[in-house]
């Protein structure tokens, strides 16, 4: 159906010796939109990122491979050629629609770059939110310890 579900992901990676925690971390890292399944575009982003930092040169190479007819756009026909007939055309068109910003049923190089810029921005935002959450948890527990110490000292004075 064009998606990788957690159970399928788990089954595939357990045979390579990954523990449940690592599998969950990888799955949630690739499931960018937190839908509980990994879409083709999320899989593509995770695959490219796993092979090193995403830079424009690598993205240009990936775009060129997907643009099989050298039209300057990735189309449903390009993806059909790469993915074969097993994936329904409606799924392929859905991928194009999801990735394209101009609703012209093709993905330009600029739109393709934008997908990865947004991905990296989302990752930075998520990391920032995690840091803020960790800091607030530390502040709360520090504050709680101080409050408890103050109460204890008041109780011992009475």
């Amino acid at each position: 159906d064009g998606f990788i579900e957690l159970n399928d992901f788990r089954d595939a990676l357990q045979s390579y010796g990954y523990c449940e925690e690592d599998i969950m971390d990888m799955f949630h890292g690739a499931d960018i939109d937190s839908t509980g399944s990994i879409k083709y575009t999320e899989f593509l982003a995770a695959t490219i990122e796993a092979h090193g930092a995403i830079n424009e040169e690598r993205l240009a190479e990936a775009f060129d491979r997907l643009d099989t007819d050298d039209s300057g756009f990735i189309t449903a026909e390009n993806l059909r050629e790469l993915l074969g007939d097993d994936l329904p055309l409606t799924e392929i068109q859905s991928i194009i629609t999801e990735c394209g910003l101009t609703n012209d049923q093709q993905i330009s190089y600029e739109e393709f770059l934008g997908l990865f810029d947004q991905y990296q921005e989302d990752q930075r935002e998520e990391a920032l939110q995690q840091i803020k959450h960790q800091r607030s948890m530390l502040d709360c527990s520090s504050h709680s310890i101080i409050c408890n110490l103050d109460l204890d000292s008041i109780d011992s004075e009475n």
Side-chain angles (χ1 to χ4, degrees):
D1 65 359
F3 297 92
I4 300 172
E5 303 297 330
L6 177 59
N7 288 336
D8 297 328
F9 190 80
R10 181 183 292 120
D11 291 345
L13 292 179
Q14 280 179 335
S15 63
Y16 290 98
Y18 287 99
C19 69
E20 181 68 17
E21 183 180 350
D22 289 343
I23 291 170
M24 294 301 290
D25 287 346
M26 286 186 278
F27 185 83
H28 292 298
D31 182 17
I32 298 167
D33 61 3
S34 301
T35 60
S37 61
I38 301 171
K39 297 179 192 153
Y40 172 75
T41 53
E42 293 171 323
F43 179 77
L44 181 62
T47 302
I48 290 172
E49 187 174 25
H51 288 93
I54 297 176
N55 61 42
E56 190 164 348
E57 183 179 329
R58 286 189 160 185
L59 290 173
E61 290 172 12
F63 184 85
D64 285 341
R65 288 184 182 181
L66 294 170
D67 177 18
T68 57
D69 61 0
D70 294 325
S71 65
F73 297 95
I74 300 170
T75 63
E77 292 77 27
N78 296 145
L79 294 181
R80 166 68 77 200
E81 188 176 321
L82 289 168
L83 299 173
D85 294 329
D86 293 337
L87 193 62
L89 184 58
T90 55
E91 284 296 319
I92 292 173
Q93 289 169 332
S94 175
I95 291 168
I96 296 290
T97 300
E98 179 183 334
C99 297
L101 300 174
T102 57
N103 297 321
D104 58 0
Q105 295 304 305
Q106 55 188 8
I107 303 168
S108 69
Y109 181 66
E110 290 76 21
E111 290 170 318
F112 188 75
L113 287 179
L115 290 170
F116 292 96
D117 288 343
Q118 183 60 50
Y119 171 75
Q120 289 178 330
E121 180 61 35
D122 290 347
Q123 294 292 43
R124 281 191 291 270
E125 182 63 31
E126 183 178 321
L128 181 61
Q129 292 303 320
Q130 287 176 351
I131 290 169
K132 286 181 180 179
H133 177 71
Q134 290 170 349
R135 283 185 182 166
S136 71
M137 295 302 289
L138 286 173
D139 289 345
C140 287
S141 54
S142 296
H143 181 68
S144 177
I145 291 169
I146 291 169
C147 288
N148 288 338
L149 289 174
D150 288 344
L151 292 175
D152 291 341
S153 64
I154 291 171
D155 287 341
S156 63
E157 290 175 6
N158 293 332

